[in-house]
Amino acid sequence: MSSRFASDSGLTRRMLVTMFLLGLLYVVFVGVLIALGAQAVTVLLIAVVVLLVQYFLSDRIALFAMGGREVSPEQAPELHGMIDRLCAMADMPKPRVAIADSDVPNAFATGRNQKKSVVCVTTGILRRLEPQELEGVLAHELSHVAHRDVAVMTIASFLGILAGLMTRVALYSGLGSRRGNGQGGLPIGLIIMLVSIVVYAVSFLLTRALSRYRELAADRAGALLTQRPSAMASALVKISGDMARIPTRDLREAEPFNAFYFAPALAPGATLAGLFSTHPPLDRRLEQLSKISAQLGRG
């Protein structure tokens, strides 16, 4: 299903390459597990079931995890009205609308496709942003749904989850058994653990690289749809600055969901190398929005 959001061949290409490399890594991983024993295959089957649940129920799981609740047009008329306008401009189905009771100023979108998606904002972002700034944030989130990168990120994260699960199985159940007749060689559990660590590391780096690019793509698409890149830039600056005023405990609780959020929630003292970050640096995002503003000839 197409929309009027600006297409991004770079994002499409990166999603395809990431999925191909992760798929190749998955095949190798499965081959190693099958060669090492039936127990590993059993865990693999369980993990596949987890993936299917995560994929088909990702919107509901995310809402539950982040404390979001769906709201009706009567409960949040201004928010619904803004999303109605943006969806009409983008020519896309309207997602479900939710609000999370959190002072952390943020927003996220999730769902496997445009018809099964939800956009959620926190009470913190509703209190802090002006209407045009909030519109920019919502356009950013809706572009994630239109570009289908939410579904790709859900699938891409599966291999890391599987590798982590296999590492735990190796640690707690298989480290003592050895290959062959037990007269030498590395323990099977240790082999599984080492392979799982490598697979997790590679999948982690691939998904983080894709996550950073998709945030830039969403900034660009949202700014072009609203024709107000300066409003999105203002929202970014305001949200990033206000993070310092949020209690550390609240920020740490929000950090596991950073890959979904409009802006990362980082507790004081947290330092993430660019290679490990879910989002590009603030300066990089503002620079892109500034260039778009110059191209449009207005802010």
Side-chain angles (χ1 to χ4, degrees), residues 145-298:
V145 177
H147 287 154
R148 299 178 177 85
D149 58 61
V150 175
V152 172
M153 287 296 294
T154 299
I155 298 172
S157 65
F158 164 68
L159 194 56
I161 294 172
L162 173 59
L165 181 60
M166 290 307 305
T167 300
R168 289 183 177 86
V169 170
L171 283 171
Y172 294 116
S173 65
L175 285 173
S177 61
R178 293 180 178 273
R179 303 192 66 173
N181 58 8
Q183 299 301 315
L186 288 173
I188 293 176
L190 181 58
I191 297 173
I192 293 176
M193 185 177 70
L194 293 175
V195 172
S196 298
I197 290 172
V198 172
V199 168
Y200 177 82
V202 174
S203 62
F204 178 88
L205 293 176
L206 286 172
T207 53
R208 288 302 170 98
L210 176 59
S211 177
R212 290 191 296 274
Y213 187 87
R214 83 184 188 112
E215 292 302 327
L216 288 173
D219 284 350
R220 174 178 174 272
L224 290 175
L225 181 73
T226 61
Q227 298 285 290
R228 295 193 189 98
S230 63
M232 188 181 296
S234 176
L236 273 169
V237 171
K238 189 176 291 187
I239 291 172
S240 299
D242 282 351
M243 287 295 180
R245 302 183 181 92
I246 304 300
T248 300
R249 178 183 176 183
D250 293 344
L251 289 175
R252 293 199 183 281
E253 289 178 352
E255 280 181 17
F257 309 113
N258 274 345
F260 292 96
Y261 281 141
F262 172 70
L266 300 177
T271 57
L272 292 178
L275 197 61
F276 303 137
S277 177
T278 56
H279 290 64
L282 176 61
D283 289 348
R284 175 70 183 88
R285 298 176 74 175
L286 294 178
E287 178 187 5
Q288 176 181 249
L289 291 171
S290 177
K291 290 180 179 178
I292 294 173
S293 181
Q295 292 169 0
L296 294 175
R298 60 174 185 171

Side-chain angles (χ1 to χ4, degrees), residues 92-112:
M92 65 181 290
K94 181 183 178 182
R96 304 195 311 281
V97 181
I99 295 177
D101 186 13
S102 170
D103 194 41
V104 178
N106 239 316
F108 69 89
T110 186
R112 66 182 186 272

Side-chain angles (χ1 to χ4, degrees), residues 10-235:
L11 177 62
T12 302
R13 184 169 60 252
R14 282 168 172 79
M15 288 194 295
L16 290 174
V17 170
T18 299
M19 294 306 295
F20 172 77
L21 292 176
L22 287 174
L24 182 62
L25 194 63
Y26 178 76
V27 170
V28 173
F29 191 39
V30 170
V32 172
L33 296 183
I34 292 175
L36 291 176
Q39 183 182 17
V41 177
T42 301
V43 174
L44 174 65
L45 293 176
I46 295 173
V48 170
V49 173
V50 173
L51 169 65
L52 294 176
V53 172
Q54 181 183 359
Y55 179 72
F56 287 102
L57 299 178
S58 60
D59 52 341
R60 299 187 183 279
I61 293 172
L63 271 187
F64 176 78
M66 300 182 201
R69 56 180 175 82
E70 289 187 46
V71 292
S72 66
E74 291 74 26
Q75 292 171 312
E78 294 182 3
L79 180 61
H80 269 271
M82 196 173 293
I83 293 177
D84 282 335
R85 290 193 299 274
L86 289 170
C87 288
M89 291 166 60
D91 191 24
M92 65 181 290
K94 181 183 178 182
R96 304 195 311 281
V97 181
I99 295 177
D101 186 13
S102 170
D103 194 41
V104 178
N106 239 316
F108 69 89
T110 186
R112 66 182 186 272
N113 56 46
Q114 293 186 30
K115 292 183 178 180
K116 298 290 184 179
S117 62
V118 60
V119 172
C120 180
V121 298
T122 64
T123 51
I125 203 171
L126 290 175
R127 286 196 298 269
R128 288 172 171 85
L129 297 190
E130 299 297 326
Q132 289 188 353
E133 295 170 336
L134 182 59
E135 183 182 70
V137 172
L138 292 173
H140 169 107
E141 296 303 332
L142 289 172
S143 76
H144 280 313
V145 177
H147 287 154
R148 299 178 177 85
D149 58 61
V150 175
V152 172
M153 287 296 294
T154 299
I155 298 172
S157 65
F158 164 68
L159 194 56
I161 294 172
L162 173 59
L165 181 60
M166 290 307 305
T167 300
R168 289 183 177 86
V169 170
L171 283 171
Y172 294 116
S173 65
L175 285 173
S177 61
R178 293 180 178 273
R179 303 192 66 173
N181 58 8
Q183 299 301 315
L186 288 173
I188 293 176
L190 181 58
I191 297 173
I192 293 176
M193 185 177 70
L194 293 175
V195 172
S196 298
I197 290 172
V198 172
V199 168
Y200 177 82
V202 174
S203 62
F204 178 88
L205 293 176
L206 286 172
T207 53
R208 288 302 170 98
L210 176 59
S211 177
R212 290 191 296 274
Y213 187 87
R214 83 184 188 112
E215 292 302 327
L216 288 173
D219 284 350
R220 174 178 174 272
L224 290 175
L225 181 73
T226 61
Q227 298 285 290
R228 295 193 189 98
S230 63
M232 188 181 296
S234 176

